[in-house]
Amino acid sequence: TKDEFNDLYEMVESDLKKICRKRICGTRYISPKEKLVITLRHLAAGASDKSLAQYFMIGRPTVTKMIPSVLKILIRNLKHCGKIPKTEREWTRISDRFDEKWDLDHTIGKK
């Protein structure tokens, strides 16, 4: 949702601003919010660098360099928000809670 995006942005805003530069040699400025949107689209949809570059009308090399930088910021700022399951039992517990909440048949991981 828009509120969730804004909450996430607030968490990483200061770090994102550090990697954003002013307009250089005729290239357009990419705002911290836009960098976050591009990276989230990459994660959510599995969009390629080429498709992201075309959709957002920025250079492919820019996208290729930007996404890892933003991911590092996200990891650094979100690592305290939860832990990654280490055992099969922990993964199963998460899967069971997902099933209870969403009740989606015919999805990956559905038993």
Side-chain angles (χ1 to χ4, degrees):
T1 68
K2 188 175 182 179
D3 289 337
E4 290 170 327
F5 175 82
N6 288 332
D7 289 344
L8 177 60
Y9 179 70
E10 285 178 16
M11 292 174 72
V12 298
E13 179 180 13
S14 62
D15 288 338
L16 283 175
K17 285 183 176 179
K18 292 175 188 173
I19 65 167
C20 289
R21 298 185 187 143
K22 301 274 185 214
R23 184 180 164 128
I24 302 170
C25 300
T27 58
R28 100 178 153 80
Y29 173 76
I30 303 168
S31 72
K33 272 191 177 179
E34 191 172 10
K35 287 186 177 199
L36 182 57
V37 167
I38 292 167
T39 302
L40 292 176
R41 185 172 183 130
H42 170 74
L43 292 172
S48 69
D49 293 357
K50 182 180 178 182
S51 67
L52 290 168
Q54 290 172 340
Y55 184 81
F56 289 95
M57 297 189 304
I58 56 178
R60 186 175 181 184
T62 301
V63 172
T64 301
K65 285 177 62 178
M66 176 185 59
I67 289 175
S69 300
V70 176
L71 287 173
K72 285 178 187 173
I73 289 169
L74 288 171
I75 291 167
R76 186 171 51 245
N77 285 277
L78 297 175
K79 66 182 173 186
H80 69 278
C81 291
K83 70 172 199 152
I84 297 174
K86 292 184 176 23
T87 67
E88 183 177 341
R89 184 177 179 179
E90 289 173 340
W91 280 110
T92 302
R93 195 174 317 134
I94 290 170
S95 175
D96 291 343
R97 285 190 306 222
F98 180 87
D99 286 344
E100 288 172 19
K101 182 175 183 176
W102 297 105
D103 193 30
L104 299 171
D105 290 331
H106 309 293
T107 56
I108 294 174
K110 182 73 176 174
K111 295 176 188 173

